[in-house]
Amino acid sequence: MTLETTLGMLLQADLARLDHPSFNTMFTGFSRRWQCQLFVKVFASDRFGKFSTERTVNEQLNNRVLMSSQLATGEWVLVMRDLPMTPLSAELTPELAQQMGSVLARFHRTVHLPAATNQPSMVMTKINGLRQAPAYPQLLKLQHLYESQLPVIETELRQVKPVVLHGDAGCRNYQLVNGSLVLIDFERAHLGVPQVDFQKLFYQDFAGDQSLQQAFLNGYGPLPALSSLTSSWLTFQSAVGILSYVQRLPDPEFERVAQRMLQTVIDQLS
């Protein structure tokens, strides 16, 4: 049987596959078993960590999770109540940006994950996987510039109390549900420095707009102080992560976000 047929029988639902660029497979449909609309997220057998994190965070924040299980074929399935979600307006305002900052701050204060969820820096490993990418020589040069400063950077980062980062806090993962602004999609959540969660949002969705950035920071509240060196290192890590992602799921626009990040890093180091 196909995955869709297997799930349909298990959940007593007529499911439709969602067309969305992702490493996961997702479905929606009405379930006769639970008498509600479902959102079903299927993770490959080797993505248990992502599956477990998504389930854990949802269980802490809401009552959406209905069941979770592993199929005989190895995939991990998370079944949740679907929500009537409305995407953010394409036109962002400082007022909305401030709300977004408040929502992310609440997420950082509320969610808890075991220390094992901390993701150590794997920048060099990711750079090695980008040997065929046009940016590879530039990445290697920047990595060499940071190497002598890494003990200083790591010492500074150890002084910062880690929070659970959302891991993908872009506009697409902010949604309006019954008029309230919420975050969704938690599989990339992990422990880290708060500022890491701002990178993609500021460079991609806010496109460097200082008024939106400042409004977001006003909504977020106090942050741990970081040196310009450490701040640039966090930006560098984010850029490498994006380039690694687009190598597997090509996205020219997202790749340009990484290039803007790298230019910022170069300017800060020069």
Side-chain angles (χ1 to χ4, degrees):
M1 291 187 293
T2 66
L3 175 61
E4 195 166 342
T5 302
T6 300
L7 290 173
M9 293 175 61
L10 175 67
L11 307 177
Q12 298 175 30
D14 299 317
L15 298 175
R17 188 183 294 252
L18 295 176
D19 183 18
H20 181 74
S22 172
F23 294 114
N24 307 307
T25 305
M26 291 169 282
F27 301 91
T28 187
F30 184 82
S31 168
R32 295 175 296 281
R33 178 174 174 180
W34 283 285
Q35 289 296 302
C36 68
Q37 193 78 6
L38 301 181
F39 174 72
V40 183
K41 196 168 184 178
V42 183
F43 299 76
S45 58
D46 61 350
R47 292 173 63 82
F48 173 77
K50 303 289 187 185
F51 158 80
S52 178
T53 298
E54 176 85 23
R55 179 181 60 188
T56 298
V57 176
N58 272 287
E59 287 175 341
Q60 291 184 30
L61 294 179
N62 55 62
N63 63 352
R64 293 184 66 192
V65 177
L66 296 170
M67 68 166 285
S68 60
S69 65
Q70 185 177 28
L71 299 178
T73 47
E75 296 96 335
W76 298 93
V77 181
L78 184 63
V79 182
M80 299 189 288
R81 301 179 191 275
D82 205 1
L83 295 177
M85 297 184 186
T86 303
L88 298 187
S89 168
E91 185 176 348
L92 297 173
T93 64
E95 292 74 21
L96 178 56
Q98 184 166 339
Q99 289 182 50
M100 294 167 72
S102 298
V103 168
L104 186 60
R106 188 161 58 248
F107 180 91
H108 286 172
R109 291 193 302 265
T110 303
V111 178
H112 301 281
L113 291 173
T117 317
N118 188 30
Q119 295 182 351
S121 172
M122 297 188 296
V123 173
M124 201 60 217
T125 301
K126 290 181 178 179
I127 291 175
N128 287 337
L130 291 166
R131 291 181 181 275
Q132 304 306 315
Y136 178 71
Q138 185 182 48
L139 295 175
L140 207 57
K141 181 178 179 180
L142 288 169
Q143 173 65 19
H144 289 158
L145 288 174
Y146 278 116
E147 281 176 351
S148 63
Q149 301 296 326
L150 281 181
V152 176
I153 294 170
E154 290 168 354
T155 297
E156 182 176 357
L157 291 176
R158 280 194 294 269
Q159 308 307 311
V160 178
K161 181 181 178 181
V163 299
V164 175
L165 305 176
H166 178 276
D168 191 14
C171 279
R172 68 174 184 171
N173 286 328
Y174 279 94
Q175 297 282 320
L176 289 167
V177 177
N178 298 323
S180 296
L181 188 64
V182 300
L183 280 163
I184 62 167
D185 194 5
F186 309 121
E187 67 175 66
R188 295 180 182 84
H190 62 280
L191 296 179
V193 180
Q195 286 92 325
V196 172
D197 248 358
F198 307 165
Q199 300 286 335
K200 188 169 81 71
L201 182 68
F202 284 8
Y203 280 87
Q204 182 179 34
D205 298 313
F206 290 0
D209 187 315
Q210 294 294 318
S211 64
L212 293 177
Q213 292 180 24
Q214 188 56 57
F216 181 94
L217 293 173
N218 291 342
Y220 185 91
L223 281 165
L226 296 176
S227 67
S228 59
L229 174 65
T230 299
S231 294
S232 71
W233 169 247
L234 298 180
T235 303
F236 178 63
Q237 284 185 297
S238 296
V240 172
I242 291 173
L243 291 172
S244 180
Y245 174 87
V246 299
Q247 181 171 252
R248 292 172 291 166
L249 285 178
D251 184 337
E253 183 178 344
F254 200 23
E255 186 171 357
R256 285 192 287 272
V257 172
Q259 291 166 351
R260 291 199 295 273
M261 288 180 172
L262 290 178
Q263 187 57 54
T264 297
V265 169
I266 292 169
D267 292 343
Q268 290 175 322
L269 292 178
S270 60

